Amino acid sequence: MFKTVLVNVLALAVLLAGQQARSQDEEPKISQLSVIDRDFMEDQRLAVDERARSALGRQIRGEKNNDLDVLQQLLDRRAVKPEETVLLQGMGVVMGDLLAAELGMDWVIYEDKLGRSRALRFGLGDHYLYPVTMISRRYEVGATVDVRAIYDKAVELMRPHLPPRPFQ
């Protein structure tokens, strides 16, 4: 028994040491959005707005309640197909803009061994949200998507990392 515990403890120590060494070598690289990123995201916003106008007679206005409702209606009315990944990710950009405005976050590029992502970061800390795929990854596999619930969960996850509001 003691030998088994000792072997397990040593194996865990080796595993943790290996992970620590790898994590130091694989620190994510954070950078500002490039001009290409900004232009692509703007094109995505415009595409979502155009789809909302043509399918719903509504528009994206940068207002939380309106825009979350428009995004939900696009999904509920099947005005966006599951294979329209770029448009679905554009919906994530629209939602990300709302999160950024409410939480005081900024769009950045997050690069690690898994790839390059557009993310929201609070300040200069290590707290990130990845709204671009929050809608698409669910919708593409046929899951029911509650846009407001996703938004509220993202806010809830970030609240503990934000500075307190005045008079709280």
Side-chain angles (χ1 to χ4, degrees):
M1 168 92 171
F2 176 73
K3 193 174 188 178
T4 303
V5 171
L6 182 60
V7 168
N8 287 338
V9 168
L10 288 174
L12 181 60
V14 169
L15 178 66
L16 291 174
Q19 286 178 340
Q20 184 177 11
R22 278 195 306 276
S23 68
Q24 290 172 351
D25 294 339
E26 299 169 2
E27 287 292 319
K29 178 184 171 199
I30 310 304
S31 58
Q32 298 300 313
L33 296 175
S34 70
V35 171
I36 293 170
D37 291 312
R38 286 193 298 272
D39 288 348
F40 181 68
M41 290 170 72
E42 185 58 25
D43 288 346
Q44 287 181 295
R45 290 178 188 102
L46 292 172
V48 172
D49 185 57
E50 176 58 35
R51 184 66 59 92
R53 287 171 188 258
S54 66
L56 308 174
R58 296 186 61 189
Q59 63 185 28
I60 298 297
R61 297 192 308 233
E63 298 170 7
K64 180 174 131 180
N65 289 329
N66 176 76
D67 292 358
L68 293 178
D69 186 54
V70 168
L71 296 176
Q72 188 68 57
Q73 283 189 28
L74 285 170
L75 299 175
D76 291 348
R77 294 185 184 186
R78 305 272 186 239
V80 179
K81 295 182 179 9
E83 59 272 11
E84 291 183 281
T85 301
V86 174
L87 187 61
L88 287 165
Q89 289 182 354
M91 293 170 69
V93 170
V94 169
M95 186 172 68
D97 290 342
L98 298 170
L99 287 164
E102 181 169 341
L103 300 172
M105 299 179 82
D106 297 301
W107 285 104
V108 296
I109 298 299
Y110 182 100
E111 291 181 81
D112 62 10
K113 67 179 183 170
L114 298 176
R116 184 177 189 276
S117 301
R118 291 169 285 155
L120 289 174
R121 176 173 69 171
F122 179 72
L124 298 176
D126 292 329
H127 303 292
Y128 298 89
L129 290 174
Y130 302 88
V132 174
T133 57
M134 287 179 177
I135 294 170
S136 65
R137 69 175 183 222
R138 291 168 173 86
Y139 194 69
E140 289 171 341
V141 297
T144 301
V145 178
D146 182 336
V147 175
R148 185 162 304 267
I150 294 169
Y151 182 92
D152 290 344
K153 182 66 174 176
V155 170
E156 178 186 324
L157 288 170
M158 288 307 298
R159 281 276 182 233
H161 308 292
L162 303 176
R165 295 181 187 168
F167 308 111
Q168 280 190 334

